[in-house]
Amino acid sequence: MPHLTDEFYMDRALQLAETALSDVFPNPRVGAVLVSGGEIVGEGVHRYCGGPHAEIEAISNAGERAEGATLYLNLEPCCHHGETPPCTEAIIAAGISRVVFGIIDPDERVRGRGAGILRESGIEVKSGVRARESFELNYPFIFRRKTGRALIAMKVAITLDGRIGVEEGGWFTSSRSREYVHYLRAYHQGVATGIGTVLADNPSLDRRFYRGGKSAPVKIVFDSRLRFPPESGWLDGEGRVIIYCSEQAQEKSAARLERSGAEVVPIPAGASGLELRSWREDITAREITSVLVEGGAGIATSMLQGEIADILYLFTAPRIAGSKAIPWYSGETEPSWIRGGGLELSGVEDCGGDILAVYHSPLVSEHYLSLERSG
């Protein structure tokens, strides 16, 4: 059946797109498959920002066999001049007869124009195949285009009694949960944590459980008083390190960290620590598409009280920590936006015996509802 065939090849395009999960920021992840006579004759991936788009790589691999073929890709082909020429021109020049893609590109320079140009040239165009999967793969990119700001996600691991640790210390979640966290680190451009976590655990915040950690995330630290150790291995490795401090932090400490390779950014103080809306504005201005926030009770509480988290990943392990352990939320009252239905359950799954519950803010939920309505 043609519909099943389209889904089959689109699944392959999505698989290809995911191989570049952490490498293309701030661009979208795109995979492309060229099919002729029921045979895959070319494949492509948008591998890095500024590199050839997936369509171009697939056409190049297919050579003359691209003529008359069907092109499958998860995102509408671009039609504007950027760091690379428009993919629509290459598709038309290659003689491709049919294009099937997952979702419309939210970039205002494209947004349906790419599909329109192809149709005007006589190419058959079909959209909406594996739309939800295509949407979810590139949601940070889509969120940024729709809202003009960075997507902020928060990960919290707790016990059944709502604590963030157990008596013996160390990991208390399953290996599968930890692997999933590394996937999330690859899915988001930046990873943020607090200075308390850095000093206590010296976490690597890498992606080593996901494809061997091919590239490093932007590492972000909330450090009001600039206690971050300049000799930290973070500053010796690859990738950016951004430290957010209060405006009253010592200039000498900032200068020392900057000489070691860190970016030090003073922001206003909030009711309990740094003012996180200012932080989010600065992250957005630095063209960071999305950030996964990992930290202790203080950060989790501030994120929820300030209505900063767009997505919450809550891992619950089958452990009981007891009353001496730290609760993951330390506020005296429930944030009003959550009390009003501000967090909506998106999905629940088994993570090696742990429970992963994913919650969306109203804005994120509306984007998903818009996708369903358009389908």
Side-chain angles (χ1 to χ4, degrees), residues 240-277:
R240 298 167 65 186
V241 176
I242 308 176
I243 302 174
Y244 286 88
C245 64
S246 73
E247 295 173 327
Q248 288 72 43
Q250 293 186 0
E251 293 184 2
K252 288 183 179 179
S253 299
R256 184 170 66 251
L257 287 168
E258 287 174 338
R259 285 195 300 270
S260 299
E263 301 171 43
V264 179
V265 185
I267 58 175
S272 56
L274 299 174
E275 209 292 296
L276 292 180
R277 288 186 179 271

Side-chain angles (χ1 to χ4, degrees), residues 273-290:
L274 299 174
E275 209 292 296
L276 292 180
R277 288 186 179 271
S278 297
W279 165 73
R280 188 172 64 186
E281 290 174 3
D282 187 82
I283 283 293
T284 298
R286 292 172 186 271
E287 298 187 351
I288 294 175
T289 304
S290 61

Side-chain angles (χ1 to χ4, degrees), residues 15 30 63 136 185 206 237 273 324 329 363 366 373:
Q15 290 172 359
V30 183
E136 290 180 341
R185 290 177 183 174
D206 60 20
K324 292 183 180 180
Y329 179 75
L363 182 58
E366 177 57 33
R373 287 195 294 263

Side-chain angles (χ1 to χ4, degrees), residues 24-41:
V24 297
F25 297 113
N27 288 353
R29 301 121 176 175
V30 183
V33 176
L34 269 171
V35 178
S36 179
E39 178 187 355
I40 294 177
V41 296

